[in-house]
DNA sequence: TTTTTATATCTACAAATGTAGATTATAGAG
DNA sequence: CTCTATAATCTACATTTGTAGATATAAAAA
């Protein structure tokens, strides 16, 4: 992958990550559930994502092109999370996590998984004298 | 505050949030610890932040202008976190938190605070049958 | 086979962004 | 009081981004 992706491009990527394979008309359909944009606009973004090698042509049906992600979500989210944490949370992961716990939905399974991870981290750190 | 802030603008805001009050030369000094940009460039960003009412003139020393944040970090981070979560974590806070726990540093105090918050959330949800 | 319609392709453009040189002005040094 | 260095102001520009109309074209419908 070459370059940074814009917000709109990431919106479209998030659709590809969700449905895995989609044509531009389908992406348009999904996008317009949230905001009204013309087909042309969406297709331009899809083209740019292909240019940037974030998606690739996967198959054809008639002359309709189906695309699929060419990069994994984590390969973008991991570096971007660093920047986000720095710019908006002064590099304090604790603050960011706290805000998520307060404002976002977590079911009990999620919570228990996270509790396990925290406990694990604590003991690891004790061992390594962190 | 009027408009969205760009990445570079957020970089500069993060400095203001950290030091609270700074002149353009000082911001330049701090920014160049990480990347080389000319004073002009930094001053342009500072001007744009003032235009966008994200910072305001706070005092003068000679003809040096000191600026201070005009918006709180949370007032930006809260809405931006929503978008970030949606675009890069498919709206799954659990994933985002997990990644932070795995990759970022948390001291034991942080961890214990978070554990408390999680426990609290779990019991609240039990009560409200979530 | 002709018509219609759905897609793709092409072109365009204003606004935002990252970047910085040139110019002006003034506070502080001497 | 004059000079100088530093900071502000002004101007500029290539690139990216969001946005979409116009046009071509092929598949599907009639």
């Amino acid at each position: 992958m070459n370059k940074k992706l814009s917000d709109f491009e990431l919106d479209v990527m998030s659709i590809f990550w969700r449905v895995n394979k989609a044509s531009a008309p389908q992406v348009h359909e999904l996008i317009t559930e949230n905001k009204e944009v013309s087909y042309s606009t969406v297709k331009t973004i899809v083209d740019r994502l292909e240019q940037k090698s974030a998606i690739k042509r996967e198959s054809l049906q008639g002359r309709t092109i189906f695309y699929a992600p060419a990069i994994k979500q984590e390969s973008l989210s991991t570096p971007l999370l660093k920047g986000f944490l720095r710019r908006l949370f002064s590099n304090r992961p604790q603050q960011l996590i706290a805000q998520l716990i307060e404002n976002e939905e977590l079911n009990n399974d999620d919570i228990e998984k996270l509790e396990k991870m925290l406990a694990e981290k604590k003991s690891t750190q004790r061992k390594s004298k962190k």
Side-chain angles (χ1 to χ4, degrees), chain A residues 72-97:
Chain A
K72 289 208 241 46
Q73 193 170 31
E74 305 81 72
S75 80
L76 274 189
S77 65
T78 303
L80 288 183
L81 179 52
K82 294 275 183 194
F84 191 77
L85 186 59
R86 176 170 47 75
R87 295 197 180 89
L88 289 158
F89 288 87
S90 309
N91 261 327
R92 283 175 308 210
Q94 194 270 331
Q95 297 283 257
L96 175 40
I97 297 175

Side-chain angles (χ1 to χ4, degrees), chain A residues 7-37:
Chain A
D7 277 356
F8 198 172
E9 285 164 355
L10 284 174
D11 279 338
V12 171
M13 279 312 290
S14 77
I15 288 180
F16 279 109
W17 286 320
R18 174 151 58 88
V19 305
N20 191 59
K21 177 180 124 167
S23 66
Q26 288 175 336
V27 172
H28 179 234
E29 187 63 30
L30 291 169
I31 283 281
T32 43
E33 283 174 14
N34 298 309
K35 67 170 185 172
E36 322 79 42
V37 273

Side-chain angles (χ1 to χ4, degrees), chain A residues 41-110:
Chain A
T41 300
V42 171
K43 176 61 164 138
T44 299
I45 297 299
V46 167
D47 289 344
R48 287 178 186 164
L49 284 173
E50 193 190 7
Q51 217 69 66
K52 294 183 179 182
S53 305
I55 59 176
K56 56 183 200 307
R57 286 166 193 238
E58 196 263 358
S59 62
L60 283 179
Q61 268 180 43
R63 61 203 183 102
T64 306
I65 304 158
F66 282 77
Y67 301 86
I71 51 175
K72 289 208 241 46
Q73 193 170 31
E74 305 81 72
S75 80
L76 274 189
S77 65
T78 303
L80 288 183
L81 179 52
K82 294 275 183 194
F84 191 77
L85 186 59
R86 176 170 47 75
R87 295 197 180 89
L88 289 158
F89 288 87
S90 309
N91 261 327
R92 283 175 308 210
Q94 194 270 331
Q95 297 283 257
L96 175 40
I97 297 175
Q99 187 161 136
L100 287 166
I101 295 176
E102 279 190 356
N103 301 323
E104 302 298 330
E105 283 205 14
L106 293 172
N107 64 38
N108 282 353
D109 277 1
D110 289 340

